[in-house]
Amino acid sequence: MLLERSLSATFRNLSTLFLVAFVVLLPLHLVHSYVFRNVIEVRELHDQIEDFPPLRQVHGVGAQELQRARISFWALSLLEILALPLGARAARGVLDDERAGEISTVPSAIRAIRKPLGSSGWAPKAIPVLAGAALIGVAAGWLLEGGGSAIVQMLPDRAEFAGVALVQATARSLGASFVMVALAQARSKVAPPAESLDLY
C-alpha cells in the first residue's frame, strides 16, 4: 500500500526530513513572532481586545493589531503550503540517498531542491495518499503544538515570542515531513501494466 510505504519512509528518515523543514521554518516564525511579540504577550486577552473600540489598547495592542497579526499568520501559513513542492524535492533527495545505501544529510537534501520532481505524472492513488499523509501530519503537528503551548505559558513575557516561534516551527516541521514524502512519492513514473501470461 502506497500510504504505508510513505509512512515507513517518513519514519525511517524523520530526523533528516524534520531538520530540512525546521531550518527553513524556524527563522520565518521567529521573525513573525518578534514583529508581533506584543500581541503574543497579551494572547490571553485576545477575546476581550477584539471587542475594544478602535483606539483602545492594552500594552500597545488593539483590535487592529490583532487583525494584522492574524492576517500575517495566515499569509505565512499559505507560504508554507506553497513551499511544500520544494520540500518534496528535498524529500526525494533523502529517499534517493536511502535507496543508494547512503546516509542522507540536511545539506544534501537541500541541494536536491534544485532538481525537479519530474513531469511524468502522478502515481496511482496519489490523491488518497496525499490526503492521508496530510491528515496524519496535521494531527501530529496539532498535538505537538498543543503540548508545547502549555510549556510556553510558563516562560517570561519577553521570551514568550521565542517560545511560540519554536513550538510552531517544530509542530509544522513535523507535520510537513509526512506531506513532503507523500508528495515526493506521488510524483513518480507510472509503470506500464505488465503483460499477462497465457498459461494455457
Side-chain angles (χ1 to χ4, degrees):
M1 186 177 179
L2 186 57
L3 180 57
E4 292 179 357
R5 292 200 300 269
S6 176
L7 294 178
S8 296
T10 302
F11 285 117
R12 287 196 306 269
N13 301 282
L14 185 57
S15 59
T16 303
L17 294 166
F18 172 83
L19 288 174
V20 167
F22 189 73
V23 297
V24 175
L25 296 182
L26 180 59
L28 294 177
H29 281 274
L30 276 174
V31 171
H32 180 271
S33 295
Y34 181 79
V35 171
F36 295 101
R37 59 191 182 279
N38 291 340
V39 174
I40 293 174
E41 289 178 8
V42 296
R43 59 180 180 165
E44 294 181 356
L45 303 175
H46 284 184
D47 291 340
Q48 292 83 355
I49 293 175
E50 287 180 348
D51 297 328
F52 283 179
L55 298 180
R56 185 178 177 184
Q57 296 181 337
V58 175
H59 297 294
V61 178
Q64 292 182 344
E65 284 72 21
L66 288 184
Q67 184 67 10
R68 284 196 291 268
R70 188 175 294 113
I71 293 174
S72 177
F73 182 77
W74 285 112
L76 177 59
S77 301
L78 178 61
L79 177 63
E80 292 170 350
I81 293 173
L82 294 176
L84 281 174
L86 297 178
R89 294 183 182 184
R92 172 64 62 82
V94 172
L95 298 179
D96 288 344
D97 288 342
E98 182 185 30
R99 280 191 289 269
E102 301 176 358
I103 298 176
S104 183
T105 62
V106 173
S108 65
I110 292 177
R111 285 195 298 269
I113 293 176
R114 294 176 293 180
K115 302 177 182 178
L117 289 175
S119 57
S120 55
W122 294 89
K125 301 181 181 179
I127 300 303
V129 171
L130 287 172
L135 287 174
I136 293 172
V138 169
W142 180 75
L143 289 173
L144 182 58
E145 186 168 353
S149 296
I151 299 175
V152 169
Q153 293 178 357
M154 297 184 292
L155 296 175
D157 289 344
R158 292 187 178 181
E160 196 169 1
F161 80 92
V164 168
L166 180 61
V167 168
Q168 289 177 347
T170 301
R172 295 191 175 205
S173 298
L174 176 62
S177 299
F178 292 92
V179 181
M180 287 159 52
V181 172
L183 187 57
Q185 292 187 334
R187 294 293 292 177
S188 63
K189 293 182 179 180
V190 180
E195 295 182 0
S196 60
L197 298 177
D198 188 3
L199 301 179
Y200 300 96

